[in-house]
Amino acid sequence: MEDYYQYANERLDELGTAYKPDGAVFATKDSRLRLRSLTSRPPEPKRIGRWKSEMGREELATFERVAGDLLNELGYEK
């Protein structure tokens, strides 16, 4: 897992445009690649914990609603 970035470009090549159920474009391949641009570099220690100051309350609430039960089951605490 620590060397994920060494294989990221190969995996990112698999991304394509994402579509909604009605066939409309949800996200282009380019936009999906931009969102994942950091995955092809080693982790940056200075980025650890950024979510605490950059994630908005609404985003945090959505994340906790979606992932909260699993995170609790895995032993993560708020």
Side-chain angles (χ1 to χ4, degrees), residues 19-72:
Y19 296 92
K20 296 179 184 180
D22 66 3
V25 172
F26 176 72
T28 65
K29 178 175 181 153
D30 287 341
S31 68
R32 295 176 79 195
L33 289 172
R34 274 194 306 277
L35 288 171
R36 292 161 177 82
S37 65
L38 295 177
T39 61
S40 59
R41 295 189 289 190
E44 297 178 26
K46 67 181 181 185
R47 297 179 55 83
I48 294 172
R50 276 187 42 216
W51 66 272
K52 292 178 183 179
S53 62
E54 294 183 15
M55 184 181 276
R57 287 189 176 141
E58 188 173 316
E59 290 173 308
L60 182 57
T62 300
F63 176 76
E64 288 179 346
R65 186 174 63 252
V66 172
D69 290 341
L70 177 59
L71 293 173
N72 288 334

